[in-house]
Amino acid sequence: MTASESTGQRLFVGGAWVAPDHGFYEVRDPATEKVVGLAPEASRAQVHAAAAAAREAFGPWSRTPAEERAAVLARAADVIQRNFAAYADLAQAESGATTGTARGMQVGVGMARFRRYARPEPVETALPPQINEAGPFGGAAVMGALAVRRPVGVVTCITSYNNPWANPAGKIAPALAMGNTVVVKPAPQDPLSVYRMAEALEAAGVPPGVVNVVGGSTPESGEAAVDSPDVDMVSFTGSTAVGQRIAEVCGRGMKRQLMELGGKGAAIVFDDADLGSAVAGIGTTFSFYSGQICTAPTRVLAQRGVYDQLVRQLAAYASHLKVGDPRERGTVVGPVISAAHRDRVESYVELGRKEGALVVTGGERPSLPGGFYVAPTLLADCTRDMRVVREEIFGPVVVVLPFDDEEEAIALADDSDYGLIDYVWSGDVARAFRVARRLRAGGVGVNTVGRNMEAPFGGFKKSGVGRDVGSYALHAYSETQAIVWPG
């Protein structure tokens, strides 16, 4: 039986492609509103069966030499590379990403993450010997020790809709590399790509039960993937509100958590900043995933000396971006993920008007024949108490506030429930780093919105719990065990 037939996509449970108990639902292209495919609706029992299969597979997989686990990941990357164009086309159809984003930032980054974790790293660290002056048996003794990282167990990976390749790969690959087994619950809006990832892993020789993919359009499958007694850890990317509910369930079972949640990134622009660089960086909010990204610099804090100039340049930048079908050459801003999300983003723009913000550009629905499009929108003359300033909009909308001095900039930036990634633009690099060190954020970009893919990634406050990316992900999907002996 093939994974995907004309009747719809099947679930991947215990190494087999299984018909869903609750049938299928339609996945639609947000650019055209056409049906891309039929995704499966797993029952609660099927999700629990997937977790049980992962539990059964955990022992043998965790004892498999790290080099052999790494080889599976490397072969999976090879399969992805061979099917790169087809996978990118599907990712684009499901998510509405532009061609460059679907190829480079979705499938390309997903493949790179499998290759990254196909390099085994040491899991044991020798600690300095310690003289124990008053041991339980009396007398001094020299004690040796090792810190050993061990796999957590069965990990539920709940992924975000804004990147159906890089996000799940960033969970699955390091979890498997550390010897865990996984139950993957893809985002309901674009799940088909994650099933293609499972096919690549199957072709790479991953043993039955090590990887399971179960999903659906209702909360049922996600809730079952969290509360299953066979699950030891939940890795979640999504909204803070959902993350809080997941954390409550995890708390009852003492399950480990890795949470990448919401963001409202502050972009501090000082008088001496390179405005061209700042505008280009802030402008990624309009184009990159159409603003559907938690790391976006959506909350601009401009020093008064450059406030008016920065607003003008941002407005000019946004107004010249081509909005439309992401498959067309020159398109920079594609659709948002759904009609419901488009309506939500538009409601925030209208709320901003009512709160007294000035709509400098955008604010109206683009005149296109179909699809879920939002015009790049800039709201100026905002104040710190406005909901458009405080709440995550998750669309191509940027708000701008003025500030007078460094202390006020830091206070405004930290006046948020979120603390994922902030940004500082200044010609005075010493000041930029001084400000960065004081910000309550998991990451700070200095004169850039770029990322170092080995740097720890995660948030302060309601932006999440834990860190991943690079070697930090291997730590996130492991427990540390101490082994002590007399020297």
Side-chain angles (χ1 to χ4, degrees):
M1 189 70 68
T2 59
S4 181
E5 299 185 334
S6 59
T7 52
Q9 171 66 54
R10 290 174 173 255
L11 306 166
F12 190 53
V13 178
W17 294 97
V18 181
D21 286 346
H22 294 337
F24 305 90
Y25 67 95
E26 294 178 341
V27 175
R28 291 189 176 271
D29 184 333
T32 65
E33 304 183 42
K34 294 179 180 178
V35 175
V36 176
L38 299 178
E41 291 273 16
S43 67
R44 182 177 180 82
Q46 287 180 309
V47 178
H48 280 193
R55 170 62 62 202
E56 184 176 355
F58 170 66
W61 180 250
S62 65
R63 293 189 294 271
T64 299
E67 292 76 13
E68 293 183 25
R69 298 195 301 259
V72 171
L73 299 180
R75 291 195 296 270
D78 291 340
V79 174
I80 295 168
Q81 187 168 24
R82 288 196 297 271
N83 295 280
F84 190 92
Y87 288 165
D89 287 347
L90 176 60
Q92 182 174 56
E94 286 192 288
S95 69
T98 61
T99 300
T101 296
R103 288 175 172 266
M105 300 305 299
Q106 294 188 348
V107 182
V109 171
M111 179 175 65
R113 286 181 169 172
F114 277 101
R115 293 208 190 282
R116 162 63 179 84
Y117 295 107
R119 304 196 307 264
E121 295 186 13
V123 296
E124 295 186 358
T125 303
L127 304 178
Q130 183 183 60
I131 297 176
N132 189 334
E133 297 286 358
F137 305 110
V142 177
M143 305 300 294
L146 277 176
V148 183
R149 286 188 288 122
R150 303 290 304 278
V152 177
V154 176
V155 180
T156 284
C157 303
I158 304 178
T159 69
S160 61
Y161 70 72
N162 61 350
N163 197 320
W165 275 92
N167 183 261
K171 299 177 185 296
I172 296 168
L176 297 184
M178 274 305 308
N180 301 283
T181 55
V182 298
V183 176
V184 187
K185 194 280 177 187
Q189 297 91 338
D190 49 10
L192 300 176
S193 290
V194 183
Y195 290 99
R196 301 291 79 73
M197 192 179 299
E199 288 180 348
L201 283 158
E202 182 186 34
V206 72
V210 171
V211 174
N212 306 269
V213 184
V214 286
S217 63
T218 70
E220 179 180 354
S221 57
E223 291 171 354
V226 171
D227 67 25
S228 166
D230 286 308
V231 169
D232 301 295
M233 175 180 172
V234 176
S235 175
F236 171 72
T237 300
S239 73
T240 295
V242 174
Q244 288 172 320
R245 294 198 293 272
I246 291 173
E248 290 173 1
V249 177
C250 289
R252 293 195 291 270
M254 294 302 293
K255 298 180 181 184
R256 303 302 182 255
Q257 304 164 48
L258 179 61
M259 298 279 186
E260 183 202 332
L261 307 177
K264 191 73 175 180
I268 301 173
V269 183
F270 285 99
D271 283 348
D272 62 352
D274 178 340
L275 290 191
S277 172
V279 168
I282 295 164
T284 61
T285 300
F286 302 127
S287 56
F288 196 46
Y289 299 125
S290 299
Q292 299 168 114
I293 183 166
C294 52
T295 60
T298 56
R299 189 167 47 111
V300 178
L301 311 178
Q303 198 162 17
R304 290 191 186 276
V306 293
Y307 179 87
D308 291 338
Q309 186 179 359
L310 182 63
V311 169
R312 287 195 301 271
Q313 290 190 21
L314 281 171
Y317 184 96
S319 64
H320 285 92
L321 298 177
K322 180 182 176 182
V323 181
D325 191 323
R327 297 171 182 84
E328 293 182 1
R329 183 182 295 274
T331 294
V332 178
V333 183
V336 296
I337 195 67
S338 66
H341 189 57
R342 176 193 60 196
D343 294 346
R344 177 181 180 274
V345 174
E346 289 179 339
S347 72
Y348 267 107
V349 175
E350 184 57 31
L351 174 63
R353 282 194 178 99
K354 292 178 180 178
E355 290 180 315
L358 173 65
V359 180
V360 183
T361 190
E364 295 183 357
R365 185 176 299 183
S367 180
L368 293 166
F372 313 127
Y373 295 95
V374 176
T377 300
L378 182 68
L379 303 179
D381 298 345
C382 297
T383 58
R384 65 198 302 169
D385 58 330
M386 292 180 176
R387 285 180 58 193
V388 290
V389 172
R390 306 201 65 82
E391 299 177 13
E392 185 177 37
I393 299 174
F394 219 60
V397 180
V398 170
V399 301
V400 190
L401 298 78
F403 71 88
D404 288 309
D405 56 29
E406 185 175 311
E407 290 299 320
E408 185 183 12
I410 294 168
L412 283 171
D414 285 344
D415 185 17
S416 173
D417 290 336
Y418 300 107
L420 188 55
I421 295 187
D422 287 343
Y423 305 87
V424 182
W425 271 275
S426 174
D428 183 342
V429 176
R431 173 170 65 177
F433 274 84
R434 180 174 67 244
V435 171
R437 289 187 175 97
R438 291 184 59 189
L439 294 173
R440 294 280 296 163
V444 182
V446 173
N447 294 325
T448 184
V449 293
R451 291 264 305 278
N452 181 317
M453 298 310 291
E454 290 296 316
F457 181 75
F460 287 17
K461 299 183 280 188
K462 291 185 179 180
S463 284
V465 176
R467 297 293 182 271
D468 68 356
V469 180
S471 296
Y472 296 90
L474 297 173
H475 286 273
Y477 293 100
S478 63
E479 295 275 26
T480 304
Q481 178 187 62
I483 300 178
V484 181
W485 66 92

